[in-house]
Amino acid sequence: RLSATAGQPSNASLPAAHAVSADRPPTWVRESGMPPEEYWETLLNPLEILDSLGFLPGAHARVAELGCGYGTFSVPVAQRARELLHTFDTDEGMLRRTRERAESAGVNARALLTERRDVVATGYGHPPGSFDATLLFNILHCQDPVSMLRDAALTLEPHGRLYAIHWRHDSSTPRGPPMGIRPRPEQIEEWALATGILKTHRGPVDCPPWHYGWVFSRA
């Protein structure tokens, strides 16, 4: 759903903690495609997955989400956050659909902020410690997952939580990126620890029907 673009701003225009380093390549997100919404919704049980990860109602105040898609997780996360979900996507159609679903579900307009932004290329645009939780769902098959995890972790306050899920490393799953770029559970933990600022809080967690998850804590 997300990809870095050629027209990224200079580092001078970005907060220091979120500037894009000139000496490392962009964290390209390798597109695995989104099926029609009706089919996509049959592949996920967002409430059960959030429960399994420990993302319970009232557990977090300010949450960042990288890639809203159809709003499958965005809506229940906004309902569970005490203050705000700030979700980022490069596709305005996805953002619009997420707003529509949130309105239909009765989510307070002040509880959901949608922003069209290429976070991979330009960062989150927030100073460190802006959020107490961040979500990386079905996106860590990018080319530089350590940088993606580090950038998300930098937005967290101390002891904030980073939640990650991905498709099981199993070719029988009905969707998901090619097996050659699909991460194994142990790889995600290795990448998170390699950031130097995340530690394992919980995982791997079984997230039926087709996913597993991890929860990491900001050091």
Side-chain angles (χ1 to χ4, degrees), residues 134-190:
T134 188
L135 312 179
L136 297 177
F137 285 3
N138 291 329
I139 202 169
L140 284 169
H141 52 280
C142 60
Q143 287 187 338
D144 189 355
V146 175
S147 292
M148 178 174 282
L149 285 156
R150 182 184 298 113
D151 289 345
L154 286 171
T155 71
L156 292 172
E157 62 186 29
H159 312 298
R161 298 283 191 262
L162 188 154
Y163 296 84
I165 69 167
H166 216 292
W167 294 93
R168 293 176 182 169
H169 199 270
D170 179 351
S171 60
S172 70
T173 58
R175 293 290 304 182
M179 297 302 296
I181 62 172
R182 192 184 304 197
R184 297 178 182 274
E186 63 271 19
Q187 287 179 299
I188 290 184
E189 183 180 34
E190 291 170 3

Side-chain angles (χ1 to χ4, degrees), residues 83-102:
E83 295 180 20
L84 173 73
L85 168 67
H86 190 156
T87 188
F88 303 85
D89 207 294
T90 58
D91 188 324
E92 181 56 43
M94 294 291 189
L95 294 166
R96 181 171 56 253
R97 179 59 183 142
T98 296
R99 291 191 295 269
E100 291 171 352
R101 292 184 67 173

Side-chain angles (χ1 to χ4, degrees), residues 13-186:
S13 66
L14 300 175
H18 299 283
V20 178
S21 174
D23 59 4
R24 69 170 172 86
T27 310
W28 301 107
V29 174
R30 297 183 278 205
E31 181 59 72
S32 58
M34 286 288 283
E37 181 179 347
E38 294 76 13
Y39 175 58
W40 178 253
E41 296 296 316
T42 69
L43 304 176
L44 297 152
N45 190 324
L47 296 180
E48 287 193 8
I49 289 175
L50 292 173
D51 287 346
S52 297
L53 294 173
F55 194 110
L56 303 177
H60 296 289
R62 297 180 58 83
V63 184
E65 177 187 39
L66 179 54
C68 64
Y70 296 117
T72 306
F73 285 96
S74 310
V75 172
V77 167
Q79 291 172 324
R80 293 183 178 208
R82 296 196 306 273
E83 295 180 20
L84 173 73
L85 168 67
H86 190 156
T87 188
F88 303 85
D89 207 294
T90 58
D91 188 324
E92 181 56 43
M94 294 291 189
L95 294 166
R96 181 171 56 253
R97 179 59 183 142
T98 296
R99 291 191 295 269
E100 291 171 352
R101 292 184 67 173
E103 183 177 1
S104 296
V107 174
N108 189 308
R110 291 177 294 181
L112 175 67
L113 177 61
T114 63
E115 181 178 349
R116 185 176 184 181
R117 183 182 183 92
D118 194 338
V119 169
V120 170
T122 67
Y124 287 83
H126 286 267
S130 295
F131 303 99
D132 64 306
T134 188
L135 312 179
L136 297 177
F137 285 3
N138 291 329
I139 202 169
L140 284 169
H141 52 280
C142 60
Q143 287 187 338
D144 189 355
V146 175
S147 292
M148 178 174 282
L149 285 156
R150 182 184 298 113
D151 289 345
L154 286 171
T155 71
L156 292 172
E157 62 186 29
H159 312 298
R161 298 283 191 262
L162 188 154
Y163 296 84
I165 69 167
H166 216 292
W167 294 93
R168 293 176 182 169
H169 199 270
D170 179 351
S171 60
S172 70
T173 58
R175 293 290 304 182
M179 297 302 296
I181 62 172
R182 192 184 304 197
R184 297 178 182 274
E186 63 271 19

